Amino acid sequence: MRKLAGKYAAMGIVVSEVAKATAKQFKGELEAGFAKGQDAYGTPWAPLKAGGASHLRETGAYQASVDAFAVPGVGQSMIELSSGNAASLHAKESKQYAPGSFLEKRSHKAGAAKRMPIAGSKSWDHPARPLMPIDGQELPPKWKEIIGENYAEQMKVAAK
């Protein structure tokens, strides 16, 4: 009975161990994608209009901010992906304006400033250069494979 109880207890940690191993591999996938200039699905980022290295690579701030970590729980675990502010700008296409091309208008009721582009100011479309899967999309096939392999490995460990 003790042996059976021990095996049952080992099965309870499978999910958290899968999450821990998977988070490490997801971080590796994100770092590889960043190095290749592609998203988690293998789609290359849009090239820079000016050519040359992306400012994201020059400073290293975006890449250094990328992380994946397990949030273990009893019978359920999650993997959280996080990144710095640069990821918000690059995850989706946006319109960019040159510095100094905004006027601030204050609302007297709320006192909050609203930024309004100056008429005729230079703007350009900033193409999306996502790194992580975007909310609502299916996980990349490689990521599903990683989860499956880690789950199978942890089930073998627990069954011993």
Side-chain angles (χ1 to χ4, degrees):
M1 226 22 182
R2 283 186 185 194
K3 192 173 184 179
L4 180 62
K7 287 198 181 281
Y8 184 73
M11 297 298 259
I13 64 166
V14 166
V15 176
S16 64
E17 292 302 314
V18 169
K20 289 176 192 174
T22 301
K24 286 180 187 176
Q25 288 179 282
F26 280 5
K27 183 172 182 181
E29 288 293 310
L30 293 171
E31 289 171 351
F34 194 92
K36 293 175 187 173
Q38 65 187 29
D39 67 15
Y41 303 92
T43 306
W45 290 340
L48 297 174
K49 285 186 179 180
S54 165
H55 66 284
L56 295 175
R57 289 194 173 121
E58 288 174 355
T59 66
Y62 185 15
Q63 186 173 9
S65 74
V66 173
D67 202 2
F69 52 93
V71 182
V74 178
Q76 172 183 319
S77 292
M78 296 186 304
I79 297 172
E80 287 195 15
L81 305 175
S82 66
S83 63
N85 293 336
S88 299
L89 172 64
H90 296 281
K92 296 180 181 174
E93 187 174 308
S94 61
K95 186 162 286 298
Q96 300 292 303
Y97 292 89
S101 41
F102 282 98
L103 286 176
E104 286 193 7
K105 291 188 174 184
R106 297 217 171 257
S107 166
H108 293 291
K109 290 180 183 177
K114 253 190 186 174
R115 295 180 64 192
M116 307 290 288
I118 298 171
S121 60
K122 184 179 178 184
S123 70
W124 64 93
D125 290 329
H126 186 280
R129 292 185 181 93
L131 184 60
M132 299 179 186
I134 295 175
D135 190 30
Q137 289 182 334
E138 194 169 321
L139 283 178
K142 174 68 176 169
W143 290 35
K144 289 180 180 181
E145 184 181 313
I146 289 169
I147 294 168
E149 289 171 357
N150 287 326
Y151 184 75
E153 180 62 31
Q154 289 304 317
M155 287 300 287
K156 285 179 194 173
V157 170
K160 286 184 183 180

